Amino acid sequence: MNSTKNKLNKKSKMPFNINRKSFLGVLSLAYQEIIDSFLTKTKIKKPKEEEVLDLVRLKATKNDPKSILKIIDAYAYRKTFLMNIGDQKGLLLEQAIKDSNAKNILELGVYLGYSSIRILNSLREDSKLTSIEANEKFARIAKEHISIAGLSKNHDLKIGTSSNLITELNDPFDFVFIDHWKDLYLSDLKLLETTGLLKKGAWIFADNVVLFNLEDYLDYVRTSSDYSSKFIPTLREYSKSHPDGVEISIYKL
Ligand code: CA
């Protein structure tokens, strides 16, 4: 993504046929989740998130973030889907972190710490990441992944619901990565605005805006005069056919 900043002035629209295809993408994910949940409940296998942690413990090179990302990607491509941002959109996220020159970053939705590792590995030495995850089990696994990656120093992982924890934050952010519950994207963005937690010029990077058809969110950031917004079409994480995309919006107030 060369000079994303220059491309952010144009408001863009999704391709018109993308929703049906992305619906099939959601269906295929739901099918995989049902199978995995059945195998876990019948104790045929461990939950996939614990299998990933076992693999990272066993195979990752300590203090080598890329070795951990590689293990997680390989699992998601070859075994079972994982709701990480994935290797392709992950590069867009890393580039956006670098282009924005962000010092104080907020991440909503951590899962296994995959995107946290990508963000932390792209940060400047004097920058920091605050991450919020509602699921205690996922947060514990993420914390260990980030620790094995050697990236815990500039990281604060908070466990709880985003709407509660956002109101306890004080230091305004210049980059927000949104990747948690899809019906919370818009309400949490508005909460960040009203609590004064968005710096002027803050970048908001929202994942899965096509996969989950986030029309309300997109409508808001694309029509509000407070934002300059750009859509980047991608494929869904770990898929070679299902469409997805990210929306990068710059807060102008
Ligand atoms: Ca995602």
Side-chain angles (χ1 to χ4, degrees):
M1 194 172 56
N2 292 329
S3 71
T4 313
K5 230 173 201 168
N6 298 337
K7 300 175 193 164
L8 291 173
N9 296 325
K10 284 186 188 165
K11 300 197 188 282
S12 51
K13 292 205 165 111
M14 286 186 212
F16 81 99
N17 64 343
I18 216 158
N19 290 343
R20 191 181 67 83
K21 274 192 171 178
S22 70
F23 178 68
L24 293 176
V26 172
L27 270 189
S28 93
L29 293 192
Y31 175 73
Q32 290 182 52
E33 289 297 326
I34 288 166
I35 298 285
D36 194 70
S37 164
F38 172 77
L39 294 175
T40 303
K41 276 186 187 143
T42 50
K43 307 218 184 291
I44 291 171
K45 67 183 269 299
K46 273 185 175 183
K48 58 185 177 179
E49 292 82 8
E50 287 179 28
E51 285 189 337
V52 171
L53 177 60
D54 285 347
L55 282 173
V56 169
R57 281 173 174 161
L58 192 70
K59 294 185 171 180
T61 308
K62 265 203 148 210
N63 301 321
D64 178 0
K66 287 201 169 120
S67 80
I68 296 165
L69 298 174
K70 204 170 159 188
I71 290 164
I72 299 175
D73 284 335
Y75 182 97
Y77 272 119
R78 291 177 203 155
K79 204 161 180 194
T80 310
F81 175 80
L82 298 169
M83 55 176 174
N84 309 308
I85 192 167
D87 50 340
Q88 292 167 2
K89 288 184 290 176
L91 293 178
L92 293 178
L93 176 62
E94 288 182 3
Q95 192 60 52
I97 293 284
K98 287 173 190 160
D99 287 350
S100 67
N101 217 12
K103 280 189 163 181
N104 192 27
I105 293 135
L106 176 65
E107 176 185 36
L108 301 178
V110 176
Y111 191 42
L112 303 181
Y114 179 95
S115 47
S116 317
I117 289 174
R118 285 197 177 269
I119 293 169
L120 287 161
N121 202 32
S122 308
L123 281 188
R124 297 156 27 150
E125 185 61 25
D126 57 346
S127 305
K128 61 173 181 171
L129 170 68
T130 302
S131 302
I132 293 178
E133 171 58 49
N135 183 307
E136 211 164 312
K137 188 180 86 179
F138 296 161
R140 178 181 51 78
I141 294 172
K143 210 163 186 147
E144 188 166 340
H145 284 160
I146 293 161
S147 166
I148 293 170
L151 292 169
S152 303
K153 190 178 149 214
N154 300 327
H155 191 221
D156 180 11
L157 176 53
K158 296 179 183 298
I159 303 169
T161 55
S162 52
S163 51
N164 286 338
L165 290 173
I166 284 171
T167 58
E168 293 172 10
L169 300 171
N170 296 310
D171 199 7
F173 296 95
D174 45 23
F175 195 106
V176 182
F177 173 50
I178 310 184
D179 193 21
H180 59 341
W181 289 106
K182 307 309 166 192
D183 54 353
L184 295 179
Y185 275 40
L186 183 54
S187 56
D188 279 349
L189 180 65
K190 287 181 176 174
L191 186 59
L192 287 166
E193 289 173 12
T194 54
T195 48
L197 286 169
L198 288 184
K199 274 190 200 162
K200 181 180 163 66
W203 287 44
I204 320 296
F205 187 115
D207 189 26
N208 301 124
V209 297
V210 173
L211 179 64
F212 294 106
N213 196 21
L214 299 179
E215 279 180 352
D216 287 357
Y217 178 86
L218 293 177
D219 195 44
Y220 180 73
V221 291
R222 289 174 184 179
T223 57
S224 166
S225 57
D226 298 345
Y227 291 92
S228 173
S229 207
K230 164 77 181 170
F231 171 68
I232 302 173
T234 66
L235 289 173
R236 192 203 76 201
E237 51 269 37
Y238 310 120
S239 166
K240 290 186 168 60
S241 59
H242 297 123
D244 198 1
V246 302
E247 185 85 4
I248 302 178
S249 313
I250 292 185
Y251 189 56
K252 298 195 289 189
L253 279 187

mmCIF file of all heavy atoms in Angstrom, residues 30 47 55 74 106-107 113 156-157 161 164 172:
data_model
loop_
_atom_site.group_PDB
_atom_site.id
_atom_site.type_symbol
_atom_site.label_atom_id
_atom_site.label_comp_id
_atom_site.label_asym_id
_atom_site.label_seq_id
_atom_site.Cartn_x
_atom_site.Cartn_y
_atom_site.Cartn_z
ATOM 1 N N ALA A 30 -19.297 -20.435 9.131
ATOM 2 C CA ALA A 30 -20.230 -20.979 10.119
ATOM 3 C C ALA A 30 -20.161 -22.504 10.098
ATOM 4 O O ALA A 30 -20.160 -23.152 11.153
ATOM 5 C CB ALA A 30 -21.640 -20.495 9.810
ATOM 6 N N PRO A 47 -10.035 -27.526 21.864
ATOM 7 C CA PRO A 47 -10.433 -26.326 21.118
ATOM 8 C C PRO A 47 -9.279 -25.868 20.221
ATOM 9 O O PRO A 47 -8.111 -25.981 20.610
ATOM 10 C CB PRO A 47 -10.706 -25.297 22.215
ATOM 11 C CG PRO A 47 -11.006 -26.101 23.431
ATOM 12 C CD PRO A 47 -10.181 -27.363 23.308
ATOM 13 N N LEU A 55 1.053 -25.586 19.553
ATOM 14 C CA LEU A 55 1.997 -25.559 18.430
ATOM 15 C C LEU A 55 3.023 -24.441 18.583
ATOM 16 O O LEU A 55 4.217 -24.626 18.310
ATOM 17 C CB LEU A 55 1.236 -25.364 17.105
ATOM 18 C CG LEU A 55 0.548 -26.588 16.526
ATOM 19 C CD1 LEU A 55 -0.302 -26.194 15.327
ATOM 20 C CD2 LEU A 55 1.587 -27.631 16.103
ATOM 21 N N ALA A 74 -0.220 -21.081 9.066
ATOM 22 C CA ALA A 74 -0.188 -22.447 8.519
ATOM 23 C C ALA A 74 -1.355 -23.264 9.075
ATOM 24 O O ALA A 74 -2.017 -24.013 8.344
ATOM 25 C CB ALA A 74 1.146 -23.112 8.850
ATOM 26 N N LEU A 106 -4.912 1.777 19.759
ATOM 27 C CA LEU A 106 -5.938 0.990 20.447
ATOM 28 C C LEU A 106 -6.398 -0.125 19.516
ATOM 29 O O LEU A 106 -6.650 0.104 18.328
ATOM 30 C CB LEU A 106 -7.137 1.889 20.791
ATOM 31 C CG LEU A 106 -8.345 1.182 21.424
ATOM 32 C CD1 LEU A 106 -8.008 0.606 22.802
ATOM 33 C CD2 LEU A 106 -9.531 2.163 21.551
ATOM 34 N N GLU A 107 -6.500 -1.347 20.077
ATOM 35 C CA GLU A 107 -6.977 -2.497 19.313
ATOM 36 C C GLU A 107 -8.239 -3.032 19.988
ATOM 37 O O GLU A 107 -8.214 -3.372 21.174
ATOM 38 C CB GLU A 107 -5.883 -3.579 19.296
ATOM 39 C CG GLU A 107 -6.302 -4.863 18.612
ATOM 40 C CD GLU A 107 -5.244 -5.967 18.724
ATOM 41 O OE1 GLU A 107 -4.569 -6.058 19.776
ATOM 42 O OE2 GLU A 107 -5.100 -6.744 17.763
ATOM 43 N N GLY A 113 -4.080 -12.841 19.546
ATOM 44 C CA GLY A 113 -2.929 -11.928 19.591
ATOM 45 C C GLY A 113 -2.198 -11.790 18.273
ATOM 46 O O GLY A 113 -1.138 -11.163 18.203
ATOM 47 N N ASP A 156 -0.411 -3.277 26.590
ATOM 48 C CA ASP A 156 -1.321 -3.371 27.738
ATOM 49 C C ASP A 156 -2.583 -4.087 27.256
ATOM 50 O O ASP A 156 -3.313 -3.556 26.418
ATOM 51 C CB ASP A 156 -1.646 -1.941 28.229
ATOM 52 C CG ASP A 156 -2.585 -1.964 29.427
ATOM 53 O OD1 ASP A 156 -2.824 -3.043 30.000
ATOM 54 O OD2 ASP A 156 -3.093 -0.879 29.779
ATOM 55 N N LEU A 157 -2.805 -5.298 27.747
ATOM 56 C CA LEU A 157 -3.975 -6.086 27.329
ATOM 57 C C LEU A 157 -5.034 -6.041 28.421
ATOM 58 O O LEU A 157 -4.803 -6.487 29.542
ATOM 59 C CB LEU A 157 -3.541 -7.532 27.041
ATOM 60 C CG LEU A 157 -4.619 -8.553 26.686
ATOM 61 C CD1 LEU A 157 -5.503 -8.079 25.537
ATOM 62 C CD2 LEU A 157 -3.992 -9.883 26.310
ATOM 63 N N THR A 161 -15.502 -5.910 28.363
ATOM 64 C CA THR A 161 -16.237 -5.425 27.185
ATOM 65 C C THR A 161 -15.713 -4.041 26.797
ATOM 66 O O THR A 161 -15.384 -3.215 27.645
ATOM 67 C CB THR A 161 -17.744 -5.339 27.470
ATOM 68 O OG1 THR A 161 -17.936 -4.526 28.624
ATOM 69 C CG2 THR A 161 -18.331 -6.711 27.741
ATOM 70 N N ASN A 164 -17.354 -0.795 28.180
ATOM 71 C CA ASN A 164 -17.000 -0.464 29.571
ATOM 72 C C ASN A 164 -15.572 0.063 29.662
ATOM 73 O O ASN A 164 -15.309 1.071 30.313
ATOM 74 C CB ASN A 164 -17.107 -1.703 30.472
ATOM 75 C CG ASN A 164 -18.550 -2.058 30.760
ATOM 76 O OD1 ASN A 164 -19.433 -1.209 30.661
ATOM 77 N ND2 ASN A 164 -18.786 -3.311 31.085
ATOM 78 N N PRO A 172 -5.590 9.988 24.578
ATOM 79 C CA PRO A 172 -6.163 9.880 23.229
ATOM 80 C C PRO A 172 -5.283 9.080 22.258
ATOM 81 O O PRO A 172 -4.060 9.086 22.362
ATOM 82 C CB PRO A 172 -6.272 11.337 22.769
ATOM 83 C CG PRO A 172 -6.245 12.135 24.005
ATOM 84 C CD PRO A 172 -5.407 11.378 24.994
#
